[in-house]
Amino acid sequence: MENTVFLAFIYEFHVSRDYFECHEIGEELWGDTAGHPPSKDNCYVVLLQFAVALYHWRRGNSLGARSIMVDLPQNIISVRTQITALGIDLVAFEQLLESLCIKLSTGAAYYDVDIPMTPELAQACSKEFNIAIDNFSKPSDFANELLIDRHLYI
């Protein structure tokens, strides 16, 4: 895996749980690959929307999260090959999206989720950030206002 920017997205998503930063990184990745004008048919759009939905959900905005999440299972269809090429376990990711849509529709409380990765992607992240694979999933720090309400600090 040579795309260190994408690896940074995965790190922020799993270790820092900084979904706002994931959005920023996702926009950078999208801009680098989308062409001009940028196409929304891009795997990075799906991933940044996923991060934004989780950002809203963690802040207690289930309605906002659901409004984004509900479109993701459909949006992923056109980028399935791209998602797989990144090292994301496509079947598990699609199942996760469907499950989260159901949970959000029932008003479930936020809980941390991980993007299902292939062993190769996990190993690349581990190597890039010098962190053991077993430690590559950290819980959200709800006491960190900058993390939870980052949009208020920019």
Side-chain angles (χ1 to χ4, degrees), residues 56-73:
H56 284 294
W57 190 22
R58 185 173 57 194
R59 295 188 68 251
N61 181 3
S62 295
L63 185 59
R66 186 174 184 280
S67 71
I68 297 167
M69 191 75 71
V70 73
D71 292 332
L72 291 180

Side-chain angles (χ1 to χ4, degrees), residues 5-59:
V5 178
F6 174 65
L7 295 178
F9 177 95
I10 294 295
Y11 178 87
E12 294 294 345
F13 193 98
H14 289 258
V15 179
S16 302
R17 298 289 178 188
D18 191 341
Y19 302 132
F20 191 95
E21 185 62 22
C22 287
H23 171 266
E24 299 297 305
I25 294 169
E27 282 192 338
E28 179 183 343
L29 289 162
W30 177 36
D32 289 347
T33 61
H36 299 285
S39 168
K40 289 192 176 187
D41 245 4
N42 187 291
C43 60
Y44 297 121
V45 173
V46 169
L47 292 172
L48 75 86
Q49 288 174 331
F50 185 50
V52 169
L54 292 177
Y55 182 81
H56 284 294
W57 190 22
R58 185 173 57 194
R59 295 188 68 251

Side-chain angles (χ1 to χ4, degrees), residues 18-138:
D18 191 341
Y19 302 132
F20 191 95
E21 185 62 22
C22 287
H23 171 266
E24 299 297 305
I25 294 169
E27 282 192 338
E28 179 183 343
L29 289 162
W30 177 36
D32 289 347
T33 61
H36 299 285
S39 168
K40 289 192 176 187
D41 245 4
N42 187 291
C43 60
Y44 297 121
V45 173
V46 169
L47 292 172
L48 75 86
Q49 288 174 331
F50 185 50
V52 169
L54 292 177
Y55 182 81
H56 284 294
W57 190 22
R58 185 173 57 194
R59 295 188 68 251
N61 181 3
S62 295
L63 185 59
R66 186 174 184 280
S67 71
I68 297 167
M69 191 75 71
V70 73
D71 292 332
L72 291 180
Q74 182 66 35
N75 294 351
I76 203 171
I77 291 171
S78 63
V79 297
R80 295 176 99 231
T81 303
Q82 295 173 27
I83 293 286
T84 301
L86 289 174
I88 294 171
D89 180 332
L90 178 67
V91 172
F93 189 50
E94 288 176 322
Q95 290 171 345
L96 175 62
L97 294 176
E98 292 290 343
S99 170
L100 291 175
C101 285
I102 292 167
K103 293 200 183 299
L104 282 165
S105 70
T106 65
Y110 171 84
Y111 58 93
D112 293 321
V113 297
D114 293 333
I115 296 172
M117 297 183 278
T118 62
E120 294 80 13
L121 177 56
Q123 184 61 42
C125 290
S126 174
K127 183 179 176 186
E128 179 70 23
F129 296 102
N130 196 27
I131 186 169
I133 291 173
D134 294 344
N135 294 327
F136 211 75
S137 182
K138 303 283 185 186

